[in-house]
Amino acid sequence: MAIRHISTGSPFEAQIGYSRAVVADGWVFVAGTTGYDYANMAMPYSIEAQCENALATIQEALKEAGSGLDHVVRVNYIVPDKAEWPKCWPITSKAFAVAKPAATMISADLQNAEMKIEIEVTARISA
């Protein structure tokens, strides 16, 4: 089984020792992704902007892997403040309107205090 690693070039991937995504046996496993704007390495303040950025990063990794948001079968959301989670619903429901993946939301602290959401997905390779 060939395994392929996908990187966004984020300094965190090298510092911590992980890949943005791993492609194996027809599956794409995308690491927990926060809302950094990698163009300027800044974290937006709002959970909505962070959610949009995280999904855009995930979408690019999936595209590079030969998949896409419409092929996501599982998504995990991690938010430190569960009261903010409903603000993301319009964004996530639009992103996953076709896939309608199995989903879990967990409330837990994230690595840095400015992080308001982390999203992890598993997808199939496009046919």
Side-chain angles (χ1 to χ4, degrees):
M1 165 177 58
I3 295 177
R4 183 165 56 112
H5 297 90
I6 295 172
S7 174
T8 60
S10 160
F12 303 118
E13 293 168 19
Q15 290 170 349
I16 298 170
Y18 71 97
S19 297
R20 175 62 48 208
V22 176
V23 182
D25 201 26
W27 292 96
V28 185
F29 303 93
V30 181
T33 304
T34 61
Y36 275 104
D37 174 350
Y38 288 107
N40 61 21
M41 287 306 293
M43 180 67 77
Y45 177 76
S46 77
I47 192 170
E48 298 94 331
Q50 290 188 27
C51 184
E52 288 171 351
N53 284 356
L55 288 168
T57 300
I58 289 167
Q59 185 171 24
E60 285 302 310
L62 290 171
K63 181 179 176 182
E64 186 174 335
S67 188
L69 292 176
D70 291 350
H71 300 281
V72 171
V73 297
R74 182 80 169 137
V75 60
N76 291 310
Y77 304 100
I78 305 164
V79 296
D81 182 356
K82 63 185 175 185
E84 286 205 297
W85 169 231
K87 296 176 186 178
C88 293
W89 296 356
I91 300 161
T92 59
S93 65
K94 181 178 177 184
F96 298 116
V98 172
K100 298 199 183 314
T104 301
M105 189 285 287
I106 300 165
S107 181
D109 287 340
L110 297 176
Q111 185 166 322
N112 297 329
E114 73 268 13
M115 295 173 175
K116 296 185 177 187
I117 188 165
E118 185 168 337
I119 304 171
E120 171 189 72
V121 306
T122 302
R124 293 291 294 166
I125 298 291
S126 303

